[in-house]
Amino acid sequence: QVQLVESGGRLVQAGGSLRLSCAASGRTFSSYAIGWFRQAPGKEREFAAAISRGGGRTYYADSVKGRFTISRDNTKNTVYLQMNSLKPEDTAVYYCAAAPFLAGARTNEYDYWGQGTQVTVSS
């Protein structure tokens, strides 16, 4: 198994930037593709971005494409989500999750989930 811990969430003004981190421990981090999901108050969990095991392939939801960038550093067992041009509608708890292969928005294929980190974007 693998344990995932998100960090970096905070209050930020609209138009600002934030970088979230997903740190892994347990199994070899590079064995997993990683996805970022978010859940806003009163809404269902929503896919944001995903990255392949080696970092060579990425996939983004239309709602974040062009604003968010997912990357990973397997030597540090960490995946990042760089969020730019933030909007109030980006406010949510952000979760990272691990899958055997690049799974995109296919929630059922992710086996492990972190506890989440709160991102609040003020207008």
Side-chain angles (χ1 to χ4, degrees), residues 5-91:
V5 179
E6 304 93 337
S7 63
R10 63 175 179 86
L11 174 67
V12 64
Q13 292 190 83
S17 298
L18 196 61
R19 189 178 77 163
L20 305 182
S21 297
C22 174
S25 62
R27 291 184 175 273
T28 302
F29 188 59
S30 61
S31 296
Y32 298 93
I34 300 294
W36 282 98
F37 294 78
R38 62 188 187 180
Q39 187 166 24
K43 294 186 177 181
E44 296 294 315
R45 186 169 295 183
E46 175 190 48
F47 169 76
I51 190 166
S52 62
R53 290 171 293 178
R57 298 170 62 200
T58 58
Y59 183 74
Y60 298 93
D62 289 341
S63 59
V64 309
K65 192 175 298 181
R67 299 188 299 121
F68 290 11
T69 301
I70 188 170
S71 63
R72 69 190 299 162
D73 185 345
N74 286 341
T75 67
K76 298 180 180 178
N77 287 352
T78 303
V79 165
Y80 305 97
L81 185 67
Q82 178 66 47
M83 305 185 295
N84 299 326
S85 301
L86 284 163
K87 306 174 181 179
E89 50 262 47
D90 294 320
T91 295

Side-chain angles (χ1 to χ4, degrees), residues 86-119:
L86 284 163
K87 306 174 181 179
E89 50 262 47
D90 294 320
T91 295
V93 176
Y94 283 72
Y95 302 88
C96 64
F101 306 97
L102 184 64
R106 300 188 295 275
T107 308
N108 190 49
E109 297 187 22
Y110 292 87
D111 298 315
Y112 305 100
W113 295 79
Q115 294 300 307
T117 186
Q118 176 71 50
V119 173

